[in-house]
Amino acid sequence: MLWDSTLNDNIPEWDYNRIVADESIRLQMFQHINDYGFAIISDVPTHENQIEYLAEIFGFIRQTHYGRIFDLISTPEQRILAQTAHAIRPHNDELFRNPIPGLFMMHCLQASECGGGASVLVDGFSAAKRMRSASRELFELLCQVPIPHRRFLVDEVDDVALSANWRTIELNRHGEIEAVHINERTMAPLDTEERLIEPVYRALREMLALVYAPEACVTYRLESGQAAVMDNHRVLHARTAFNGNRHIRQCHVDRDEFFSRLRTLRRRTTLVACNT
Ligand SMILES: [Fe+2]
């Protein structure tokens, strides 16, 4: 199911208690993530560590040098853009890792008092399809040329030198789009044949224009007690600028376990239906 800003008026919300208690509702939400790449969950308790329990519904938390959970708070000791109150443009998370984090989730403990800090979501598959229609040549470059991504913070605080290369658009063997990986803030200089440098940058610029376009963006302001879960291999996320004490906790969960649970839920639900 491809989508764009026209989805803005029609974003379903899933009730936390119902997805915990009722497997058939949980299956519907998992299927929605499979089809659309994201889900919004409401009525999540606002305990500090609730995101641990939220994540357990989907799979196993991926631990990194940031720990299990990362606090998105504007702080004077900011190391990365996420720790500021600035707007952040649409991106996939942490492409400097291998493997790339699977599901990305945010739990809002406190929304910004000023009304800012809304989450913006973009369907990477929809943008990639538009890219293929606009220029087959540039689309194929994005499917073929690995783009280097890095996070080098070699010091006493972080001490990491993470580096990985990913194609911006990945196709399966039938030529269908199966992953989109784009983040201009973590891109390192290209390491490819000289003749490809300018065309690849042109292709990246075209693709970035498509994912930054307002008509590609769904905007949803998470309120206290709401959470968003998205497939980091498809859906890009962004945020608008804010003032005040916005507090969102985020983590990543591996995708293999999520898809395993989707399949087991399908199988169990089908068996229950057959036996009644
Ligand atoms: Fe991010």
Side-chain angles (χ1 to χ4, degrees):
M1 299 293 292
L2 301 178
W3 47 270
D4 57 22
S5 63
T6 56
L7 195 64
N8 262 318
D9 301 325
N10 193 24
I11 300 174
E13 292 174 14
W14 302 87
D15 180 85
Y16 179 77
N17 292 309
R18 294 189 74 198
I19 61 171
V20 169
D22 187 333
E23 283 200 336
S24 65
I25 303 290
R26 198 181 323 145
L27 173 59
Q28 287 175 33
M29 183 196 58
F30 277 23
Q31 190 61 47
H32 183 85
I33 294 173
N34 186 66
D35 294 344
Y36 289 83
F38 76 98
I40 305 290
I41 303 166
S42 294
D43 290 325
V44 184
T46 51
H47 305 306
E48 182 90 357
N49 285 328
Q50 188 67 36
I51 192 168
E52 293 267 0
Y53 302 107
L54 176 72
E56 270 179 20
I57 297 169
F58 299 89
F60 304 116
I61 290 182
R62 171 98 170 271
Q63 186 160 350
T64 71
H65 74 285
Y66 293 123
R68 290 169 62 78
I69 313 289
F70 185 80
D71 285 287
L72 283 169
I73 304 175
S74 173
T75 164
E77 293 94 39
Q78 52 205 233
R79 303 274 300 167
I80 55 175
L81 192 58
Q83 294 168 314
T84 71
H86 300 308
I88 300 179
R89 297 211 276 190
H91 61 279
N92 300 108
D93 244 17
E94 307 204 353
L95 301 181
F96 41 78
R97 298 191 190 279
N98 186 356
I100 294 169
L103 294 183
F104 168 70
M105 59 189 68
M106 296 186 289
H107 176 216
C108 180
L109 295 177
Q110 184 175 341
S112 163
E113 301 91 332
C114 74
S119 295
V120 177
L121 307 181
V122 174
D123 184 6
F125 286 7
S126 182
K129 191 177 173 205
R130 287 202 299 279
M131 184 81 197
R132 180 158 55 190
S133 305
S135 170
R136 189 85 201 189
E137 193 182 334
L138 296 181
F139 173 84
E140 283 176 3
L141 275 177
L142 295 181
C143 297
Q144 289 162 8
V145 179
I147 307 295
H149 292 268
R150 286 186 194 156
R151 172 140 298 162
F152 277 32
L153 290 168
V154 185
D155 58 26
E156 65 287 351
V157 179
D158 286 287
D159 205 29
V160 291
L162 293 157
S163 178
N165 300 321
W166 300 107
R167 290 166 179 81
T168 305
I169 299 168
E170 289 183 18
L171 306 179
N172 65 16
R173 66 195 179 94
H174 304 295
E176 298 159 342
I177 297 158
E178 68 172 6
V180 167
H181 306 125
I182 191 161
N183 185 337
E184 65 169 313
R185 288 183 294 114
T186 58
M187 273 176 48
L190 288 181
D191 180 15
T192 189
E193 298 102 298
E194 189 177 347
R195 67 182 176 81
L196 292 178
I197 299 280
E198 287 194 13
V200 169
Y201 276 125
R202 193 158 56 243
L204 285 166
R205 190 171 62 229
E206 296 287 326
M207 185 67 181
L208 285 166
L210 287 169
V211 298
Y212 293 163
E215 54 270 27
C217 296
V218 163
T219 302
Y220 193 96
R221 198 179 110 101
L222 289 180
E223 301 295 340
S224 172
Q226 285 193 306
V229 179
M230 64 203 79
D231 183 347
N232 191 43
H233 293 251
R234 170 178 177 180
V235 175
L236 292 78
H237 60 277
R239 71 149 188 250
T240 62
F242 64 95
N243 291 313
N245 300 306
R246 179 182 190 257
H247 186 186
I248 285 184
R249 307 199 86 201
Q250 73 170 51
C251 69
H252 296 110
V253 167
D254 290 334
R255 277 202 317 176
D256 56 348
E257 180 67 17
F258 166 71
F259 285 113
S260 166
R261 293 183 191 189
L262 170 60
R263 292 183 203 104
T264 57
L265 277 173
R266 272 187 197 142
R267 181 163 295 200
R268 266 208 302 278
T269 310
T270 308
L271 288 175
V272 169
C274 289
N275 290 332
T276 51

